[in-house]
Amino acid sequence: CSQYDFIYLGAGMESSQKAALSDLLPHRGELASAIGQGSVLLFTGNAFELLGSSITDASGREYPALGFSKFTVQETDARITGDVICQCTQIKEPVVGFVNKCTLIKGMGPGNQAGDPREGLCLGNVFGTHLTGPILVKNPSFLDYITDLLGKRQQPQFELSPMDNPHPLRAYEITLQELTKRRDGV
């Protein structure tokens, strides 16, 4: 895995999540090595939950997870869905996306709780979020941040050049504006 600059895993059904976990656990050491060597990992949707220490399904069965963070996951019968605006400490602009989950995260500290605008996890170059895609396309500043990390992995003196394409930024601005209006009841 350490030869890869970017490792991405996206959302799936809860049963698919357990299958992915089963396939990933034997490669935990390789993933840890990749993280240690600066690879960027982005796990979105319920794939984010694989980064914790365990997942307990709705029937009470516990699955050991990758253990890159100490949080635990508890599946519930209640599904939480909707568009969201949240903060990412690495970038100034809010991140927008869609959440579709039926879990509670325990042991995360700030964020991932009702009323807290923070969401997800950042551990160095490891990013986890319940937001589903296309997270990078919807969030040009986050895409720039990830691109900069990847560029610096290849060449430490890398500097990201501004793109001359206003459309992604304008789409982001419209999305943020509309979600803010909806949130504020305007």
Side-chain angles (χ1 to χ4, degrees), residues 6-178:
F6 186 64
I7 300 170
Y8 172 78
L9 187 63
M13 301 293 293
E14 282 71 29
S15 60
S16 299
Q17 176 198 52
K18 308 314 179 289
L21 179 58
S22 175
D23 287 345
L24 280 176
L25 277 173
H27 302 284
R28 187 202 182 285
E30 295 169 65
L31 285 169
S33 177
I35 293 166
Q37 294 180 28
S39 295
V40 176
L41 276 69
L42 176 61
F43 283 35
T44 62
N46 65 349
F48 153 56
E49 298 166 359
L50 303 180
L51 298 170
S53 62
S54 68
I55 300 169
T56 303
D57 69 15
S59 71
R61 180 173 176 198
E62 186 175 330
Y63 297 82
L66 294 171
F68 294 128
S69 182
K70 294 181 181 180
F71 71 85
T72 61
V73 177
Q74 174 66 57
E75 287 182 9
T76 68
D77 292 330
R79 185 160 292 279
I80 300 167
T81 61
D83 294 306
V84 296
I85 303 169
C86 54
Q87 289 299 137
C88 175
T89 58
Q90 289 70 26
I91 60 173
K92 179 177 68 170
E93 295 78 9
V95 175
V96 298
F98 186 79
V99 169
N100 180 0
K101 69 176 194 159
C102 62
T103 54
L104 297 174
I105 305 291
K106 298 177 183 176
M108 281 290 296
N112 299 294
Q113 299 170 35
D116 192 334
R118 294 167 291 185
E119 192 277 339
L121 171 76
C122 174
L123 298 169
N125 287 353
V126 178
F127 302 90
T129 178
H130 275 117
L131 300 181
T132 57
I135 188 169
L136 296 175
V137 173
K138 281 186 171 186
N139 296 282
S141 293
F142 188 55
L143 174 59
D144 287 350
Y145 181 76
I146 296 294
T147 302
D148 191 59
L149 288 175
L150 294 170
K152 284 183 169 57
R153 177 171 157 77
Q154 290 294 317
Q155 299 175 338
Q157 66 278 21
F158 175 83
E159 288 193 31
L160 185 64
S161 300
M163 285 183 43
D164 187 24
N165 183 355
H167 303 297
L169 184 56
R170 183 67 184 133
Y172 166 80
E173 290 168 349
I174 291 169
T175 301
L176 179 61
Q177 179 181 11
E178 293 303 315

